[in-house]
Amino acid sequence: MDAVPALDEPLKKVLGPATAKVMAEHLGLHTVGDLLHHYPRRYEERGQLTHLADLPMDEHVTVVAQVADARLHTFASSRAPRGKGQRLEVTITDGSGRLQLVFFGAGVHKPHKELLPGTRAMFAGKVSVFNRRLQLAHPAYELLRADSEEAVESWAGALIPLYPATAKLESWKIGKAIQTVLPSAQEAADPLPETLREGRGLLPLPEALLKIHRPHTKADIDQARARLKWDEAFVLQVALARRRQADAQLPAVPRRPRPDGILAAFDDRLPFTLTEGQRKVSEEIFADLATEHPMHRLLQGEVGSGKTLVALRAMLAVVDAGGQAAMLAPTEVLAQQHHRSVTEMMGELAEGGMLGGSENATKVVLLTGSMGAAARRQALLDLATGEAGVVIGTHALIEDKVQFHDLGLVVVDEQHRFGVEQRDALRGKGKQPPHLLVMTATPIPRTVAMTVFGDLETSVLDQLPAGRSPIASHVVPAADKPHFLARAWERVREEAGKGHQAYVVCPRIGDEEDGAKAKKKSPEDEAEKRPPLAVLDIAEQLARGPLAGLRVEVLHGRMQPDDKDAVMRRFAAGEADVLVATTVIEVGVNVPNATVMVIMDADRFGVSQLHQLRGRVGRGSAPGLCLLVTEMPEASAARQRLNAVASTLDGFELSRIDLEQRREGDVLGQAQSGTRSSLRMLAVIDDEEVIAEAREEATRIVAADPDLERLPALRTALDALLDEEREQYLEKG
């Protein structure tokens, strides 16, 4: 009979059902292998040996001393009302001074038996004060049988691993469980090919696992970390390299624009010339579209660099070649906005089959979840017959009912809102796999692009179109300097006086049941109990107060789609001066006449989000102004974050700052498919070199051995990684 491999052994068999249940529910650990890969967050030293005469407060210390006396007291408490509570007080001395140790409850039995007067031991714990006397509560201790100095030195100098823990399971209990399973580390199959490991001087995996959990020196920790980072980077890059390889084998219909087709007609009607960047990126895209394998390209561009225009030209090239193109947007507001701007840019070219339509024209349809039945039926019919060359919609496009005549290109806007699976679902709509263009306005550092979008080729648009104005950004410290906020509203009035418009952005809508539902974001928010400012409240205050007399409208996600669209149309047409909104305006909203944006409680937004929001102003010829209003004190991390946003318009620089401040797991998790990241040791920003090198090695290995037949251990590690992702996707459902 086959024995279960040691690392696949369920924890309940090894640690008992109660502990295993807590580990599974609170830490997601199910097998011995999972537990071995639950790495320490940091390490404590037991502390240099300290004399009792000079104990520092609030620090971890280790002392060697002799028990002078030990007394057990009983007392009444809320937990033990009948006087059954127990407290053990032990006094120890080392000749230089005395110190009290205290143990409570069930924790008194073992020390009561062991810490008898005259016993010599080492004690480690945190020094605190009780009744004006120094004490250690529940210290760890080790009895010293023989008078061996070596034992003392090695015990005091040991590095104590501290694990990511939960209230139900303390770090030291996790440590104990790991010590139980540590011998199994010898059985760990090493996913790194031997030549790669030796060539880079990396530890074998079993040794790395031993050293990460039971290091003797700091060098042990560094060596183990270096090795475990390589594992994570390499296995992930192999998964991506295999995905790229598999995609490259798929057939696709080459799509080449006609010299006298709709694309040429569209270019002729453009009132401006394309930027150098737009031309270069378009050429990369057209070259991909002309091949017999599907394009997989990520187009990342600065806010306002004209990505939509580049995507539209790609869509028209496909229509020219007899195919259809679909653009997938994350929200209805954005889908409607794209539909409006595409039909405006195309003019009579978007009126296929209608009177007044050009001979090259096609139909551009919108498909969203909240459309009326008749409009929806007509849109579905236009797609099935091929009448509509271009469709723009939300994930309603992915539904089973939607049939395309000949889907040639899928454009996904704002990738971080769509998982890989949703991209695949839409790609499955083509008779042959369609070409894929993914757009993101959040510039992504190179390493993150390699890690998260490693299955895509990357194009970058970093040039702003001519006529775009720079945006000045300033932090407005409303609490320290209230007159700054008053001045901000004056600036809005001044802009309105010149015929321009303004956005005011708030974190919350304001019709929630109560402010408590607003999620707390950080300790700083905790310290300041006020709920985030709300659109409905602020709009009313502004209309009655500092912006009285201006036309103020509101926009938020809980409005009916038709109402949202009507508000956006009025604002775009200049029929409102100020739009007070939530982040529904974050991406894609294009009103060139809007020149100023005031972001209330700016500290409640992430760096990338602020950069996105700011990109909604300065889209015309007048300069843009963005005011970041906050009540956070000057020294706080939140203020530093806002200062960083105010000091640069470089999205790539800001995305680095954003990543350094948030845990990368959040970024990767969302992008991988809205789940927790599989990275435990790798830091995407700091480990740039490891990721780049792992990508090269992975590409080389997959090219030589696509099915990894010569590397069974790597294949096992890969299956585990992909199973985890698939499992999480299914859970998300």
Side-chain angles (χ1 to χ4, degrees):
M1 154 185 150
D2 287 350
V4 177
L7 271 64
D8 294 342
E9 191 80 57
L11 285 174
K12 56 173 174 278
K13 280 195 173 170
V14 189
L15 302 175
T19 308
K21 185 168 187 263
V22 178
M23 286 197 167
E25 285 176 4
H26 294 275
L27 297 167
L29 308 174
H30 304 279
T31 65
V32 168
D34 292 346
L35 183 54
L36 286 173
H37 288 293
H38 186 71
Y39 307 130
R41 194 176 57 242
R42 59 193 177 86
Y43 300 84
E44 277 287 351
E45 292 180 72
R46 280 212 170 94
Q48 297 313 303
L49 294 176
T50 313
H51 287 294
L52 293 187
D54 31 70
L55 285 178
M57 271 299 298
D58 271 350
E59 280 191 29
H60 279 275
V61 297
T62 300
V63 295
V64 173
Q66 194 163 350
V67 177
D69 69 27
R71 296 175 188 197
L72 191 61
H73 303 273
T74 52
F75 59 92
S77 72
S78 55
R79 284 187 174 174
R82 290 201 296 279
K84 292 282 173 59
Q86 291 189 309
R87 180 173 77 245
L88 175 66
E89 290 176 1
V90 178
T91 306
I92 57 172
T93 175
D94 68 349
S96 74
R98 293 167 86 81
L99 177 67
Q100 182 146 7
L101 316 178
V102 56
F103 300 87
F104 291 102
V108 304
H109 305 307
K110 185 167 175 272
H112 188 220
K113 284 210 297 276
E114 294 182 338
L115 297 179
L116 305 170
T119 308
R120 201 156 171 272
M122 276 184 284
F123 303 91
K126 195 173 187 183
V127 184
S128 57
V129 168
F130 181 70
N131 277 348
R132 293 210 295 257
R133 287 169 63 189
L134 293 183
Q135 70 167 27
L136 296 182
H138 283 285
Y141 65 87
E142 183 102 335
L143 301 178
L144 293 173
R145 306 268 182 256
D147 190 6
S148 118
E149 286 306 309
E150 250 169 65
V152 174
E153 284 305 324
S154 68
W155 195 80
L159 292 161
I160 306 166
L162 294 184
Y163 291 92
T166 73
K168 294 268 195 298
L169 202 61
E170 299 93 334
S171 168
W172 63 269
K173 283 188 182 160
I174 296 170
K176 275 199 146 145
I178 284 174
Q179 294 302 338
T180 308
V181 301
L182 206 48
S184 307
Q186 293 304 335
E187 317 273 314
D190 201 324
L192 290 192
E194 203 167 327
T195 49
L196 187 159
R197 198 189 77 229
E198 288 174 356
R200 295 187 175 275
L202 297 168
L203 297 179
L205 182 58
E207 196 182 329
L209 290 171
L210 282 173
K211 285 188 168 173
I212 201 79
H213 292 298
R214 202 189 272 166
H216 295 300
T217 61
K218 296 211 168 90
D220 282 353
I221 300 170
D222 293 341
Q223 286 179 331
R225 280 192 170 146
R227 161 62 217 243
L228 296 166
K229 280 178 179 180
W230 251 93
D231 271 20
E232 287 177 8
F234 180 69
V235 174
L236 188 56
Q237 290 301 337
V238 167
L240 293 166
R242 291 189 70 192
R243 195 179 163 91
R244 285 197 301 276
Q245 174 116 6
D247 285 344
Q249 307 305 315
L250 294 171
V253 179
R255 310 278 179 176
R256 295 185 185 84
R258 301 199 316 273
D260 57 348
I262 189 169
L263 176 62
F266 175 75
D267 284 349
D268 286 345
R269 26 168 314 132
L270 279 179
F272 50 80
T273 54
L274 298 177
T275 64
E276 186 54 42
Q278 286 172 323
R279 268 207 300 280
K280 184 173 101 16
V281 169
S282 289
E283 278 162 21
E284 290 171 353
I285 291 171
F286 291 154
D288 282 357
L289 289 174
T291 63
E292 295 183 356
H293 299 292
M295 163 172 83
H296 294 107
R297 193 165 277 283
L298 172 69
L299 170 57
Q300 50 169 333
E302 270 296 2
V303 176
S305 57
K307 288 179 301 297
T308 312
L309 177 62
V310 169
L312 177 55
R313 293 184 73 238
M315 291 163 84
L316 296 179
V318 169
V319 173
D320 257 352
Q324 291 169 293
M327 181 186 266
L328 191 59
T331 64
E332 296 211 349
V333 167
L334 200 52
Q336 286 162 338
Q337 178 87 26
H338 275 319
H339 182 252
R340 197 177 314 128
S341 60
V342 164
T343 46
E344 279 168 14
M345 281 201 270
M346 287 174 64
E348 72 267 20
L349 295 174
E351 296 168 1
M354 296 184 228
L355 284 172
S358 140
E359 57 173 318
N360 272 325
T362 186
K363 217 174 193 181
V364 179
V365 302
L366 176 69
L367 188 64
T368 62
S370 62
M371 281 167 74
R376 189 179 169 79
R377 238 191 338 269
Q378 184 59 52
L380 289 171
L381 186 66
D382 288 342
L383 287 181
T385 59
E387 189 83 10
V390 174
V391 57
I392 294 166
T394 53
H395 39 129
L397 283 175
I398 299 175
E399 287 170 15
D400 292 344
K401 290 194 213 57
V402 181
Q403 298 292 324
F404 288 86
H405 176 64
D406 178 13
L407 180 60
L409 170 67
V410 173
V411 178
V412 180
D413 189 17
E414 282 306 300
Q415 156 66 18
H416 60 274
R417 319 249 174 134
F418 292 105
V420 169
E421 293 81 9
Q422 286 155 306
R423 289 185 345 212
D424 288 350
L426 190 52
R427 281 181 11 196
K429 299 272 182 199
K431 295 188 175 55
Q432 276 196 327
H435 298 281
L436 173 71
L437 179 65
V438 171
M439 299 197 295
T440 173
T442 310
I444 305 165
R446 194 175 73 100
T447 43
V448 180
M450 284 194 292
T451 307
V452 179
F453 307 110
D455 56 334
L456 304 170
E457 298 297 324
T458 306
S459 294
V460 178
L461 268 181
D462 48 13
Q463 224 181 342
L464 290 187
R468 273 293 165 82
S469 306
I471 305 168
S473 306
H474 302 284
V475 177
V476 176
D480 315 350
K481 302 180 177 161
H483 58 287
F484 276 37
L485 183 58
R487 174 75 188 112
W489 301 127
E490 280 172 25
R491 284 290 289 118
V492 172
R493 291 195 83 95
E494 285 164 16
E495 287 298 309
K498 294 180 196 163
H500 294 310
Q501 292 160 283
Y503 296 102
V504 176
V505 181
C506 303
R508 202 161 61 88
I509 297 172
D511 55 0
E512 294 89 345
E513 307 303 298
D514 61 44
K517 283 204 179 143
K519 269 213 187 114
K520 295 283 181 279
K521 295 272 200 323
S522 70
E524 285 161 347
D525 288 0
E526 286 293 347
E528 173 216 28
K529 290 292 185 225
R530 168 175 74 64
L533 294 171
V535 166
L536 301 176
D537 308 342
I538 291 286
E540 198 179 316
Q541 289 167 22
L542 292 176
R544 281 208 315 264
L547 302 185
L550 296 183
R551 297 165 300 173
V552 177
E553 294 241 19
V554 298
L555 178 72
H556 57 74
R558 235 178 271 138
M559 291 164 63
Q560 288 302 312
D562 291 352
D563 296 345
K564 280 194 261 195
D565 203 39
V567 169
M568 270 319 302
R569 277 178 193 280
R570 284 200 295 276
F571 189 65
E575 292 163 22
D577 302 307
V578 179
L579 185 61
V580 182
T582 56
T583 54
V584 289
I585 60 157
E586 180 184 345
V587 282
V589 172
N590 187 24
V591 180
N593 190 43
T595 53
V596 59
M597 175 177 285
V598 181
I599 303 179
M600 307 303 292
D601 276 347
D603 46 273
R604 313 246 176 167
F605 298 99
V607 171
S608 300
Q609 207 173 18
L610 292 170
H611 185 55
Q612 282 292 325
L613 286 165
R614 165 170 69 184
R616 302 302 115 215
V617 294
R619 299 177 79 85
S621 51
L625 173 66
C626 176
L627 301 173
L628 305 167
V629 179
T630 178
E631 293 186 0
M632 282 295 159
E634 194 158 350
S636 63
R639 272 287 278 282
Q640 288 164 5
R641 204 168 64 229
L642 296 180
N643 292 340
V645 174
S647 66
T648 177
L649 290 172
D650 179 344
F652 287 93
E653 179 54 34
L654 287 173
S655 67
R656 278 191 88 96
I657 294 170
D658 193 20
L659 258 184
E660 281 161 9
Q661 293 196 337
R662 291 173 24 206
R663 280 198 8 266
E664 282 127 349
D666 308 343
V667 185
L668 294 176
Q670 286 170 345
Q672 278 173 336
S673 50
T675 53
R676 72 189 176 83
S677 156
S678 57
L679 302 184
R680 296 181 178 84
M681 196 52 90
L682 197 66
V684 177
I685 283 280
D686 302 338
D687 298 322
E688 192 157 343
E689 279 176 28
V690 177
I691 292 168
E693 289 171 14
R695 182 178 165 112
E696 276 174 33
E697 295 277 10
T699 308
R700 195 171 53 71
I701 281 167
V702 169
D705 180 7
D707 293 330
L708 307 178
E709 282 168 3
R710 296 192 290 281
L711 299 167
L714 175 56
R715 218 168 54 209
T716 309
L718 198 60
D719 291 344
L721 175 77
L722 298 177
D723 268 358
E724 190 179 352
E725 284 190 359
R726 199 168 300 124
E727 224 170 85
Q728 291 171 346
Y729 174 60
L730 291 173
E731 278 168 19
K732 261 185 23 208

